Amino acid sequence: MAYWLFKSEPGVYSIADLARDKTTAWEGVRNYQARNFLRDAIKPGDLVLFYHSNAAPPGIAGLAKVVRGGYPDPSALDPTHEAYDAAGAPAAPVWYAVDIRHVRTFGAPLGLPELKKVKALAKMALLQKGSRLSVQPVTGAEFAVIEKLAT
DNA sequence: GCCAACGTTGGC
DNA sequence: GCCAACGTTGGC
C-alpha cells in the first residue's frame, strides 16, 4: 500500500465536499509528473492526504482512500468540458484520473506552519521549496507521523 | 495583491 | 536543442 497527498483549493473542492459526495473522480490534473502517478502508481487501497491549498492557513484537512486506479480522464476527452484537451484521443489518452472515497475529516486541519515545525517531516515533498506538484508521494514514515498529529 | 518557483510554449 | 517569454501555482 502506498500513500499520497492530493492538493485542492477548498473554494473549488474541499474535504467537506468530499464528505458530502462520499466518492469523487480526481480528474483535471494537467501535469505530466502528476499524471504518471495517477496512471501508473496509484492503486485501490492507497491512502490520500487531502490538502487544502490557497487556504488560510493551507494544510492537511483529512484523509481519503483510492477506490479506483488510473483510468483515462473523462474531462480531457469531453469537448464541452473546461479541462478538455484535444491532444488525447480516446484511443491514446494523455491524461488520467483516479477515484477516491472520503475516510475522515480531521477535527482541525494540520496547518502548513505546524507541519514545518515537525523535524520528521523536513524531507516531505510538500515542504520542499517550490513544490507545486498537485499529486505527491508520501512515505509510510511521513504518513504515520501525520496520522499521529491529526485530531 | 505580490512575487518566487516552476512548467510550457514557440522562435530560432 | 536552446532559451526567453509567458502562464500558473500557491505561500505570504
Side-chain angles (χ1 to χ4, degrees), chain A residues 6-7 11 20 25 30 32 40 48 74 100 115 117 123 139-140:
Chain A
F6 288 7
K7 290 183 188 172
R20 178 200 62 213
R30 297 292 180 269
Y32 285 103
D40 306 328
V48 173
I100 60 172
L115 295 171
K117 290 179 194 159
K123 290 185 176 171
T139 68

Side-chain angles (χ1 to χ4, degrees), chain A residues 4-8 29-37 51 53 125-126 128-137:
Chain A
W4 308 94
L5 180 142
F6 288 7
K7 290 183 188 172
S8 183
V29 174
R30 297 292 180 269
N31 169 283
Y32 285 103
Q33 207 179 339
R35 184 283 307 270
N36 291 344
F37 289 134
Y51 181 83
S53 61
L126 178 72
Q128 302 316 302
K129 195 175 181 184
S131 159
R132 302 190 317 173
L133 203 56
S134 66
V135 172
Q136 308 180 349

